[in-house]
Amino acid sequence: MSAVALGFTLTFIMITMVLSRWQKLGLEKDIAWGTIRGALQLLFIGYVLHFVFQTEHLGLIIGIIAIMIMIATQNAGKRAKGLKGIHWRIAAAIAITEILTMGLMLGLQIIKPTTQFIIPISGMTIGSSMIVCGLFLNQMNREVGSSRDMIDALLALGATPKQAIQQALQRSVKASMIPTIDGMKTVGLVQLPGMMTGMIIAGSSPIEAVRYQILILFAFTASAAMTGIILSILSYKLWFTKEMTLK
């Protein structure tokens, strides 16, 4: 894509801003800032990845993945303000999911152990896990709020905190996985995923692109389940006081 063609893509941003102003949504500043920030971030990571791909240095790979996890943790943690200690639990859930997912891919030789494969797939895995964490925390706050009387009653009857909150945890994990499961049902029919589309545009065979997309699809499903379950195990006590009553 030429620089001129890339510049023309700003037309879409202008349309969005015009529509926002027309409907008095007040999103013009956010859209403008998001456009500038997003473009600069992508350009920056593009040059960084160009350098990393040339060096193939293990330390740089680990460093980039660690930064991804840190940023994902901060973003997902915004969904649970007031829960002390939630950030390290989110980071642990994402990190464990990344290690298990990438370990299986490399161990089973599904992907090549090169930067070109590890970093992009890690980024997609971490991004997916971040969304799952945010959805889980949102749903968990709603579940605890709506089920407070039942949880208090179970605690009064002698249930442990985990037993009392178990149903809320299960519903929250299920809710966090809904977008991933819905995506599996509609992929190829309603949408052509980004990785598949990008490979086809780059000139790869559609069959080869589909194979890689199936890999990502299956990996995302497993990682979503792992992230939700791990975070539920690590975080459920945060909704209780030291005396094991609901906050």
Side-chain angles (χ1 to χ4, degrees):
M1 181 184 292
S2 66
V4 175
L6 185 61
F8 283 146
T9 59
L10 289 173
T11 303
F12 298 107
I13 301 300
M14 296 303 298
I15 292 172
T16 308
M17 294 178 70
V18 169
L19 291 174
S20 173
R21 188 171 182 80
W22 175 42
Q23 291 296 311
K24 298 180 180 180
L25 301 177
L27 296 174
E28 296 88 344
K29 290 183 179 179
D30 289 336
I31 294 170
W33 171 239
T35 300
I36 296 170
R37 179 175 174 175
L40 291 175
Q41 288 173 178
L42 287 172
L43 286 171
F44 172 75
I45 197 61
Y47 283 109
V48 170
L49 291 179
H50 178 72
F51 172 75
V52 174
F53 286 177
Q54 289 181 328
T55 59
E56 291 281 349
H57 194 280
L58 180 60
L60 288 175
I61 297 173
I62 296 174
I64 290 175
I65 292 174
I67 291 172
M68 289 178 178
I69 293 174
M70 180 180 67
I71 295 172
T73 298
Q74 291 297 321
N75 189 62
K78 295 176 182 178
R79 307 291 182 181
K81 293 180 179 179
L83 288 181
K84 188 177 181 181
I86 191 62
H87 284 86
W88 78 257
R89 289 170 170 83
I90 295 172
I94 296 175
I96 292 170
T97 300
E98 161 66 10
I99 291 169
L100 291 174
T101 303
M102 192 55 58
L104 283 172
M105 288 187 184
L106 294 174
L108 297 175
Q109 298 183 348
I110 297 173
I111 63 172
K112 297 177 182 178
T114 63
T115 312
Q116 186 178 358
F117 285 90
I118 294 174
I119 290 182
I121 294 178
S122 292
M124 288 186 284
T125 302
I126 293 168
S128 176
S129 295
M130 175 189 71
I131 293 172
V132 169
C133 288
L135 291 172
F136 170 82
L137 293 169
N138 271 339
Q139 185 64 27
M140 192 62 189
N141 284 327
R142 286 195 291 266
E143 290 288 342
V144 171
S146 62
S147 305
R148 176 173 293 275
D149 291 341
M150 185 184 72
I151 295 172
D152 283 335
L154 289 171
L155 290 171
L157 291 171
T160 64
K162 187 173 184 180
Q163 290 172 334
I165 208 171
Q166 185 64 32
Q167 290 187 4
L169 289 172
Q170 291 173 344
R171 289 192 291 267
S172 298
V173 171
K174 288 180 180 178
S176 71
M177 291 187 63
I178 287 175
T180 303
I181 295 172
D182 285 349
M184 289 184 69
K185 294 176 181 178
T186 59
V187 65
L189 298 176
V190 178
Q191 60 172 332
L192 294 179
M195 183 176 186
M196 175 181 168
T197 303
M199 290 183 66
I200 292 174
I201 292 174
S204 298
S205 163
I207 303 301
E208 185 70 13
V210 165
R211 289 175 180 173
Y212 277 101
Q213 191 59 57
I214 289 174
L215 159 66
I216 296 300
L217 189 67
F218 292 172
F220 276 11
T221 304
S223 64
M226 285 189 287
T227 303
I229 291 170
I230 293 169
L231 185 57
S232 71
I233 293 171
L234 293 177
S235 66
Y236 76 90
K237 289 184 178 179
L238 298 181
W239 278 271
F240 295 91
T241 64
K242 292 181 179 179
E243 292 74 28
M244 293 304 168
T245 60
L246 272 179
K247 291 182 178 179

